[in-house]
Amino acid sequence: MLLQLNNIFKWVQSGGQRIFLLKDINLEVKEGEFISIMGPSGSGKSTLLNVIGMLDTFDEGEYHFLEDSVHNLKEKHRSNLYKEYIGFVFQSYHLLDDLTVQENLEMPLIYKKFKGSERKAMVADMLDRFNIVGKKDLFPAQLSGGQQQLVGIARALISNPKLILADEPTGNLNSKQGEEIMDLFKQLNDEGVTIIQVTHSEKNAEYGSRIINLLDGRMI
Amino acid sequence: MFKNYFKIAWRTLLKNMFSSSINIIGLSIGISACMVILIFVWYESTFDNYHTKAKNIYRVVQHNRVPDQTLYWNITPYPLAEALRNDFPQIEMVTQTQGPVSQEFSVVEEADLKRFEEPRVLFVDKFYPKAFDLEWISGNPDNALDDINSVVLTETIAKKYFGISDESYKSVLGKTILNQDDEPLTITGIIKNVPGNSNQRFDILIPYEFFKTKNPGLAQNWSGNHQGTTFVVLPNTTKIKSLESKIAVWQKKYLKYEDDKRISYFFQPLIDIHNETLYGSSPGGYIMPSNILYTLSVVALFILVIALINFINLLTAQSTSRSKEVGVRKVLGSKRLDLIIQFIFENSMVIIGSLTLSVVLLNILLSKLNENLSVIDLQLELGFNHIGLIILIGFSTIILAAFYPAFILSAFNPIKALRNKVQFSGNNGVNLRKSLVTFQFVMVQLFVIAAIIVSLQMDYFKNKPMGFSSDSVVVTPVPDFEKLEVYRQALLGNNDISNVTIASGPPMAVNGLQLGTRFRLPEQSPEEALDAEIKIGDKHYLDFYEMELLAGKSFTTNKHAFDEFIVNETLLRRFGWSPQEAIGKKIQINEGPATIVGVVKDYHNNSFQREITPCIITNWTFFQNQAFIKIGGNNVVTIDRIKDIWENTFTGSAYSYGFLNDSIEKEYVLERLIYKGFTILSILAICIGCLGLLGLMSYIISRKRKEIGIRKVLGANILEVFSFFTKKFIGLITLAFIIATPLVYYFGKMWLETFAYRIELSVWMFLSGGCLTLIIAIITCSFQSFKAAIANPVKSLRTE
């Protein structure tokens, strides 16, 4: 068992009324799964993903990640937890514009206090694995969208997370680039990485082993 | 980790070249402006502090009660020093100086005679080097001034006279120079030049005994007009008040009954002299009132605080563009502390850059200031303590300006940051920024309008008719009265010289030279006499200066015993005479009686700060020591010609010349200083104020980007968006104007009232200041507003 959500509620107060963003979510994710979260705009897909990624809090319910009860953890422990086990991939890549490909890859390692020589080796490995050695000194603006997302995924993977969370990873890409990225995800999943992706596309959802449909914050 | 920070910081700086340079330049202008003012204040408030005995030295001053007022004098009778020395053993030391005065010296070197006119020759007794610190390069400080015919030179003079290099000062000792061409003086010492922050200005020291022997009458006179400066060194334990009252009793022994009644002596601490206006400037020195220094310090702090606020404002305004980075970094595992450290590091780099730049800027500013204020012999330097102060300022800047934005930035919620949904401190932030900018513009307008008023008053000084003509007048000394006529004829032989008059001075008193006397009707008692200025002229005087004669005629003769007066209208008013009535009347002055032969229309015998006072011009040969020469044609050639004629006529004297208009302008030194100060301050204020405005605008624009996008999509054109922004600060500047105007009006009026002749304040002075500021502000903001206005709305509306 990688993670388990029990009766998760999240709401905001608006004019004395509670507007539910997430309503009674129960979800269990095993290691090695590839889950697609689907649903119309505003159904709470991204919110759920952020809750799983511990970037967002929830108001009620329990969240167990491996051995830890996330709902009882302090901010600091929580961030240590996701730092260690979770990697994020975004629709608009969110690479740092001022850093080269190589430096972008290196950044999470810096925050995890890896030594310089180790970092170098790990970055070199990753560049190799993704076939982007030739692009290591380019800045994000010099890359195509597909290439940027490739770097984004490489960055998410560099510290060997157990779980990859991807928020519409192909949303900004054309269909061919999108396909390549999805293939990559599939391949990673085959290598044992657990993946949860948010997507609008039925086709992309098919890559996963399980589909979760959300409507108005509720799983259906 | 730090390498990474450094890399990011460097790239961000380069990427935001424009705003980073504004940040760096703005902060360094602020710091260096603040430092320049503080260094100036420090310099001006530590005059004569460097003497070892500074805290124990006092100047003896006298309060002189005349019927209608009390006069405060910083000079005291010559015999006072000796008398105090003899009668008060509790006074550690008494020393007296005379001067500085102008003296002529000649040096004979290998049969070659060189003459020099030295304007700062000080006569000092042998106690002087023991009381005051002089830096001796050569010679024995203990007995250098013991011999009556000795002389001590400063470095500069020694170099000038003997052309020696630094090592050979000793070789000059024992050499002889001639004073006023006849008295040989032996060089007994060489000292370093006096520091700029001393009120004891001199280039050459001559024993006081020498002066006394030359002027035996003055030296023994307790009540004369010519007096010396007396200093005492008092032990720490002295009770000043009780000593003063002992002296008040003791002085009866020496002073005449009526003098004893009106004169009392007091001790003024040496270190207070420079900042105390009561006693006026000491001979050869100037006064820097302490309230000006206080005001300046406050202004300096204001400038620094404003520069800091602007810096923080600009930084936080820029931080919106960093929000995405904050989000990404947080998601990738950065702790808040990491981000805080990163931003502090980054901002510290900017601050350190600004500090470095400000040291450079400061050096330039200081040398410019020294150059510009050479009239007061300013010698400002960047010392180690100043660098220390800069580092201290830098450190506090880092604490204030680096920590605050770092904390704000690092607190962003990563999800919101990634979606460009970061909200800053809400509307409070804007209002705070707005009030800061308004406050800055109050300062800007204060300085700008003040500069306008001061410059107009200066203009008034320049253009107001003085009642006499002073253009193209060259002044030379007349050292030998016997050769006066020869000199005049030789001059008039030149086609470019149209007129020459020989007199005691020009119609307006310059360089502090004004001969005073008292006048009355012969039948009145001396007590009824009133103050007047006396000028000695010749028959060409009125003509030369184009002064208008209202009645009577000019002089026809010059006499050893004067017998004719020409008076001004103001003097007539004391007697209620009309010009015609006055002709032929006899009046009595201290120097003797004479008949009024002419009445001139009032002319400005004082500079415009002061009223026109009663004036008497007389046909005396005494004190006719200046020649005024009206020139036309080629100045350079004519001036060379005058020099030739002068040197041929008065062989054996040192030639010097000047333009009358230059001397007149010197009367307005303080006003010009104030004018320069306000000009510099207003330029600084404009710079800093505009930076603040820039900061506010970029902040507003970054907040309103989406709003502009929506407005444009809904059909607003560029001009409408542009005015949307401009309207925002026009309101602020108008408010600032409304606050500034009464302040400037109040202080401007107060300042103008110190002048007898002044401009009237009028609305347009204020309005033009306000408009000027507004125009500058619009120009400042137009670039940013325009950029925001033409931006593609699609970009600003697109989020995730």
Side-chain angles (χ1 to χ4, degrees), chain B residues 519-523 534-535 542 549 551-557 559 561-568 571-572 575 577 579-589 591-600 615-620:
Chain B
F519 70 94
R520 59 188 161 92
L521 295 173
E523 59 269 27
I534 178 170
K535 258 181 223 307
L542 295 191
L549 207 52
K553 56 182 176 53
S554 188
F555 306 126
T556 46
T557 52
K559 301 211 167 148
F562 60 86
D563 59 359
E564 289 177 342
F565 285 155
I566 293 172
V567 298
N568 68 353
L571 186 137
L572 293 193
F575 297 117
W577 293 334
Q580 281 71 24
E581 282 170 0
I583 304 299
K585 292 253 168 46
K586 245 190 170 45
I587 54 174
Q588 174 86 31
I589 62 171
E591 289 78 6
T595 313
I596 297 175
V597 295
V599 175
V600 285
C615 228
I616 298 168
I617 309 170
T618 178
N619 61 338
W620 203 5

Coordinates of all heavy atoms in Angstrom, one line a residue, chain B residues 519-523 534-535 542 549 551-557 559 561-568 571-572 575 577 579-589 591-600 615-620:
Chain B
F519 N 28.3 111.1 12.9 CA 28.2 112.5 12.4 C 27.1 113.3 13.3 O 26.2 112.7 13.9 CB 27.8 112.5 11.0 CG 26.4 112.0 10.7 CD1 25.3 112.9 10.6 CD2 26.2 110.6 10.6 CE1 24.0 112.4 10.4 CE2 24.9 110.2 10.3 CZ 23.8 111.0 10.2
R520 N 27.3 114.6 13.3 CA 26.4 115.4 14.0 C 26.5 116.9 13.5 O 27.5 117.2 12.8 CB 26.6 115.4 15.5 CG 28.1 115.9 15.9 CD 28.4 115.6 17.4 NE 29.8 115.6 17.6 CZ 30.5 116.7 18.0 NH1 29.9 117.9 18.1 NH2 31.8 116.6 18.2
L521 N 25.6 117.7 14.0 CA 25.8 119.2 13.6 C 26.9 119.7 14.6 O 27.0 119.2 15.7 CB 24.5 119.9 13.9 CG 23.4 119.5 12.9 CD1 22.1 120.2 13.3 CD2 23.8 119.9 11.5
P522 N 27.6 120.7 14.2 CA 28.7 121.1 15.1 C 28.2 121.6 16.4 O 28.9 121.4 17.4 CB 29.3 122.3 14.3 CG 28.9 122.1 12.9 CD 27.6 121.4 12.9
E523 N 27.0 122.1 16.5 CA 26.5 122.6 17.8 C 25.9 121.4 18.7 O 25.7 121.6 19.8 CB 25.4 123.6 17.6 CG 24.2 123.2 16.8 CD 24.3 123.4 15.3 OE1 25.5 123.5 14.8 OE2 23.3 123.6 14.6
I534 N 31.9 106.4 6.1 CA 32.7 107.4 5.4 C 33.5 106.8 4.3 O 34.1 105.7 4.4 CB 33.6 108.2 6.4 CG1 34.5 109.2 5.6 CG2 34.5 107.2 7.2 CD1 35.2 110.1 6.6
K535 N 33.5 107.4 3.1 CA 34.3 107.0 2.0 C 35.2 108.1 1.5 O 34.8 109.3 1.5 CB 33.3 106.6 0.8 CG 33.1 105.2 0.7 CD 32.2 104.9 -0.5 CE 31.2 103.9 -0.1 NZ 31.7 102.6 0.5
L542 N 32.3 110.4 -8.4 CA 30.9 110.4 -8.8 C 30.7 110.1 -10.2 O 29.9 109.2 -10.6 CB 30.2 111.7 -8.5 CG 30.1 112.1 -7.0 CD1 29.2 113.4 -6.9 CD2 29.6 111.0 -6.1
L549 N 23.9 113.1 -9.0 CA 24.0 114.2 -8.1 C 22.6 114.9 -8.0 O 22.1 115.4 -9.1 CB 25.1 115.2 -8.6 CG 25.8 116.1 -7.6 CD1 26.4 115.3 -6.5 CD2 27.0 116.8 -8.4
A551 N 21.9 117.6 -5.9 CA 22.1 119.0 -5.7 C 23.6 119.3 -5.5 O 24.4 118.3 -5.1 CB 21.4 119.5 -4.5
G552 N 24.1 120.5 -5.7 CA 25.5 120.8 -5.5 C 26.4 120.3 -6.6 O 25.9 120.0 -7.7
K553 N 27.6 120.0 -6.2 CA 28.6 119.6 -7.2 C 29.6 118.6 -6.7 O 29.5 118.3 -5.5 CB 29.4 120.9 -7.7 CG 30.0 121.6 -6.5 CD 30.8 122.8 -6.9 CE 31.4 123.6 -5.8 NZ 32.2 122.9 -4.8
S554 N 30.4 118.1 -7.5 CA 31.4 117.1 -7.1 C 32.6 117.9 -6.5 O 32.6 119.1 -6.5 CB 31.8 116.2 -8.3 OG 32.6 115.2 -7.8
F555 N 33.6 117.1 -5.9 CA 34.8 117.8 -5.4 C 35.6 118.4 -6.5 O 35.5 117.9 -7.6 CB 35.7 116.8 -4.7 CG 35.0 115.9 -3.7 CD1 35.1 114.6 -3.7 CD2 34.4 116.5 -2.6 CE1 34.5 113.8 -2.8 CE2 33.8 115.7 -1.6 CZ 33.8 114.4 -1.7
T556 N 36.3 119.4 -6.1 CA 37.3 119.9 -7.1 C 38.7 119.7 -6.7 O 39.6 119.8 -7.4 CB 37.1 121.5 -7.3 OG1 36.9 122.0 -5.9 CG2 35.8 121.7 -8.1
T557 N 38.9 119.3 -5.4 CA 40.2 119.2 -4.9 C 40.3 117.9 -4.0 O 39.3 117.4 -3.6 CB 40.6 120.4 -4.0 OG1 39.5 120.5 -3.0 CG2 40.8 121.6 -4.7
K559 N 42.4 117.0 -0.4 CA 43.3 117.7 0.6 C 43.8 116.8 1.7 O 43.2 115.8 2.0 CB 42.4 118.8 1.2 CG 41.9 119.8 0.2 CD 41.7 121.2 0.7 CE 41.6 122.2 -0.4 NZ 40.7 123.3 0.0
A561 N 43.9 117.8 4.7 CA 42.8 118.0 5.7 C 41.5 118.2 4.9 O 41.4 119.3 4.2 CB 43.1 119.2 6.6
F562 N 40.6 117.3 4.9 CA 39.4 117.4 4.1 C 38.6 118.6 4.5 O 38.6 119.0 5.6 CB 38.6 116.1 4.2 CG 38.1 115.8 5.6 CD1 36.9 116.3 6.1 CD2 38.9 115.0 6.4 CE1 36.5 116.1 7.3 CE2 38.5 114.7 7.7 CZ 37.3 115.2 8.2
D563 N 37.9 119.1 3.5 CA 37.0 120.3 3.8 C 35.6 120.2 3.1 O 34.8 121.0 3.3 CB 37.6 121.6 3.5 CG 38.0 121.7 2.0 OD1 37.8 120.7 1.3 OD2 38.6 122.7 1.6
E564 N 35.4 119.1 2.3 CA 34.2 119.0 1.6 C 33.5 117.6 1.8 O 34.3 116.6 1.8 CB 34.4 119.2 0.1 CG 34.7 120.7 -0.2 CD 35.0 120.9 -1.7 OE1 35.3 119.9 -2.4 OE2 34.9 122.1 -2.1
F565 N 32.2 117.6 1.9 CA 31.5 116.3 2.0 C 30.5 116.2 0.9 O 29.9 117.2 0.5 CB 30.7 116.3 3.3 CG 31.5 116.0 4.6 CD1 31.0 116.5 5.8 CD2 32.7 115.3 4.5 CE1 31.8 116.2 7.0 CE2 33.4 115.1 5.7 CZ 32.9 115.6 6.9
I566 N 30.3 115.0 0.4 CA 29.1 114.7 -0.4 C 28.4 113.7 0.3 O 29.0 112.7 0.8 CB 29.6 114.2 -1.8 CG1 30.2 115.4 -2.6 CG2 28.3 113.7 -2.6 CD1 30.9 114.9 -3.9
V567 N 27.1 113.9 0.6 CA 26.3 113.0 1.4 C 25.2 112.3 0.6 O 24.8 112.8 -0.4 CB 25.8 113.7 2.7 CG1 26.9 114.2 3.5 CG2 24.8 114.8 2.2
N568 N 24.6 111.3 1.2 CA 23.5 110.6 0.5 C 22.2 111.1 1.1 O 22.2 111.7 2.1 CB 23.7 109.1 0.4 CG 23.5 108.5 1.8 OD1 23.4 109.2 2.8 ND2 23.5 107.2 1.8
L571 N 21.3 110.2 4.7 CA 21.8 111.0 5.8 C 21.0 112.3 6.0 O 20.7 112.7 7.1 CB 23.3 111.4 5.4 CG 24.0 112.1 6.5 CD1 25.4 111.6 6.7 CD2 24.1 113.6 6.2
L572 N 20.6 112.9 4.9 CA 19.8 114.1 4.9 C 18.5 113.9 5.8 O 18.0 114.8 6.5 CB 19.3 114.6 3.5 CG 20.4 115.1 2.6 CD1 19.8 115.8 1.4 CD2 21.4 116.0 3.4
F575 N 18.3 114.8 9.3 CA 18.1 116.2 9.7 C 16.9 116.8 9.1 O 16.5 117.9 9.4 CB 19.3 117.0 9.2 CG 20.6 116.6 9.8 CD1 21.7 116.1 9.1 CD2 20.8 116.8 11.2 CE1 22.9 115.8 9.7 CE2 22.0 116.4 11.8 CZ 23.0 115.9 11.1
W577 N 16.5 117.6 5.9 CA 16.8 118.6 4.9 C 16.4 118.1 3.5 O 16.4 116.9 3.3 CB 18.3 118.9 4.9 CG 18.9 119.5 6.1 CD1 18.2 120.3 7.0 CD2 20.2 119.4 6.6 NE1 19.1 120.7 8.0 CE2 20.3 120.1 7.8 CE3 21.4 118.7 6.2 CZ2 21.5 120.2 8.5 CZ3 22.5 118.8 6.9 CH2 22.6 119.6 8.1
P579 N 17.7 118.2 -0.5 CA 19.0 118.3 -1.0 C 19.5 119.7 -1.2 O 20.7 120.0 -0.9 CB 18.9 117.6 -2.4 CG 17.7 116.7 -2.2 CD 16.8 117.3 -1.2
Q580 N 18.6 120.6 -1.7 CA 19.1 122.0 -1.9 C 19.4 122.7 -0.6 O 20.4 123.4 -0.5 CB 18.0 122.8 -2.6 CG 17.9 122.6 -4.1 CD 17.4 121.2 -4.4 OE1 16.7 120.5 -3.6 NE2 17.7 120.6 -5.6
E581 N 18.6 122.4 0.5 CA 18.9 123.0 1.8 C 20.2 122.6 2.3 O 20.9 123.3 3.1 CB 17.8 122.6 2.8 CG 16.5 123.3 2.7 CD 15.4 122.6 3.5 OE1 15.7 121.6 4.2 OE2 14.3 123.1 3.5
A582 N 20.6 121.3 2.0 CA 21.8 120.8 2.7 C 23.1 121.4 2.2 O 24.0 121.5 2.9 CB 21.8 119.3 2.4
I583 N 23.0 121.9 0.9 CA 24.3 122.5 0.4 C 24.7 123.6 1.2 O 24.0 124.5 1.6 CB 24.0 122.9 -1.1 CG1 23.5 121.8 -2.0 CG2 25.3 123.5 -1.7 CD1 24.4 120.6 -2.1
G584 N 26.0 123.6 1.6 CA 26.6 124.7 2.3 C 26.5 124.5 3.8 O 27.2 125.2 4.6
K585 N 25.8 123.5 4.3 CA 25.7 123.2 5.7 C 26.9 122.6 6.2 O 27.6 121.8 5.5 CB 24.5 122.3 6.0 CG 23.1 123.0 5.8 CD 22.4 123.3 7.1 CE 21.2 124.2 6.9 NZ 20.3 123.9 5.9
K586 N 27.3 122.8 7.4 CA 28.5 122.2 8.0 C 28.1 121.0 8.9 O 27.1 121.1 9.7 CB 29.2 123.3 8.9 CG 30.6 123.6 8.4 CD 31.3 124.5 9.4 CE 32.7 124.7 9.2 NZ 33.3 125.1 8.0
I587 N 28.8 119.9 8.8 CA 28.6 118.9 9.8 C 29.9 118.4 10.3 O 31.0 118.6 9.7 CB 27.7 117.7 9.2 CG1 28.3 117.1 8.0 CG2 26.3 118.0 9.1 CD1 27.6 115.8 7.5
Q588 N 29.8 117.8 11.5 CA 31.0 117.4 12.2 C 31.0 115.8 12.2 O 30.0 115.2 12.6 CB 30.9 117.9 13.6 CG 31.9 117.5 14.6 CD 33.1 118.4 14.6 OE1 33.0 119.6 14.3 NE2 34.3 117.8 14.8
I589 N 32.2 115.3 11.8 CA 32.3 113.8 12.0 C 33.5 113.6 13.0 O 34.2 114.5 13.3 CB 32.6 113.0 10.7 CG1 33.8 113.5 10.0 CG2 31.4 113.2 9.8 CD1 34.2 112.7 8.8
E591 N 36.4 112.6 12.5 CA 37.7 113.1 12.0 C 37.8 114.6 11.8 O 38.8 115.1 11.5 CB 37.9 112.4 10.6 CG 38.2 110.9 10.7 CD 37.0 110.0 11.0 OE1 35.8 110.6 11.0 OE2 37.1 108.8 11.2
G592 N 36.6 115.3 11.9 CA 36.7 116.7 11.8 C 35.5 117.3 11.1 O 34.6 116.5 10.6
P593 N 35.3 118.6 11.0 CA 34.2 119.2 10.4 C 34.4 119.5 8.9 O 35.6 119.6 8.5 CB 34.0 120.6 11.1 CG 35.4 120.9 11.5 CD 36.2 119.6 11.6
A594 N 33.4 119.6 8.1 CA 33.5 120.0 6.7 C 32.1 120.5 6.2 O 31.1 120.3 6.9 CB 34.0 118.9 5.8
T595 N 32.1 121.1 5.0 CA 30.9 121.6 4.4 C 30.3 120.6 3.4 O 31.1 120.0 2.6 CB 31.2 122.9 3.7 OG1 32.0 123.7 4.6 CG2 29.9 123.7 3.4
I596 N 29.0 120.5 3.4 CA 28.3 119.7 2.4 C 28.3 120.4 1.1 O 27.8 121.5 1.0 CB 26.9 119.3 2.8 CG1 26.9 118.5 4.1 CG2 26.2 118.6 1.7 CD1 25.6 118.2 4.6
V597 N 29.0 119.8 0.0 CA 29.0 120.5 -1.3 C 28.1 119.8 -2.3 O 27.7 120.3 -3.3 CB 30.4 120.6 -1.9 CG1 31.3 121.5 -1.0 CG2 31.0 119.2 -2.0
G598 N 27.7 118.6 -2.0 CA 26.9 117.8 -2.9 C 26.0 116.8 -2.2 O 26.3 116.3 -1.1
V599 N 24.9 116.5 -2.9 CA 24.0 115.4 -2.3 C 23.8 114.4 -3.5 O 23.4 114.8 -4.6 CB 22.6 116.0 -1.9 CG1 21.7 114.8 -1.5 CG2 22.8 117.0 -0.7
V600 N 24.1 113.1 -3.2 CA 23.8 112.1 -4.2 C 22.6 111.3 -3.9 O 22.2 111.2 -2.8 CB 25.0 111.1 -4.4 CG1 26.2 111.7 -5.1 CG2 25.4 110.5 -3.0
C615 N 25.7 108.0 4.5 CA 27.0 107.9 3.8 C 27.6 109.2 3.6 O 26.9 110.2 3.2 CB 26.7 107.2 2.5 SG 27.7 105.9 2.2
I616 N 28.9 109.3 3.8 CA 29.6 110.6 3.6 C 30.8 110.3 2.7 O 31.6 109.4 3.1 CB 30.1 111.2 5.0 CG1 28.9 111.5 5.8 CG2 30.9 112.4 4.7 CD1 29.3 111.8 7.3
I617 N 30.9 111.0 1.6 CA 32.1 110.9 0.8 C 32.9 112.2 1.0 O 32.3 113.3 1.0 CB 31.7 110.7 -0.7 CG1 30.7 109.6 -0.9 CG2 33.0 110.4 -1.5 CD1 30.1 109.6 -2.3
T618 N 34.2 112.0 1.2 CA 35.0 113.2 1.4 C 36.2 113.3 0.6 O 36.7 112.3 0.0 CB 35.3 113.3 2.9 OG1 36.1 114.5 3.2 CG2 36.1 112.1 3.4
N619 N 36.8 114.5 0.5 CA 37.9 114.7 -0.4 C 39.2 114.7 0.4 O 39.9 115.7 0.5 CB 37.8 116.1 -1.1 CG 37.7 117.2 -0.1 OD1 37.4 117.0 1.1 ND2 38.1 118.4 -0.6
W620 N 39.6 113.5 0.9 CA 40.7 113.4 1.8 C 41.8 112.6 1.1 O 41.4 111.8 0.2 CB 40.2 112.6 3.0 CG 41.0 112.8 4.3 CD1 42.0 113.7 4.5 CD2 40.8 112.1 5.5 NE1 42.5 113.6 5.8 CE2 41.7 112.6 6.4 CE3 39.9 111.1 5.9 CZ2 41.8 112.1 7.7 CZ3 40.0 110.6 7.2 CH2 40.9 111.1 8.1

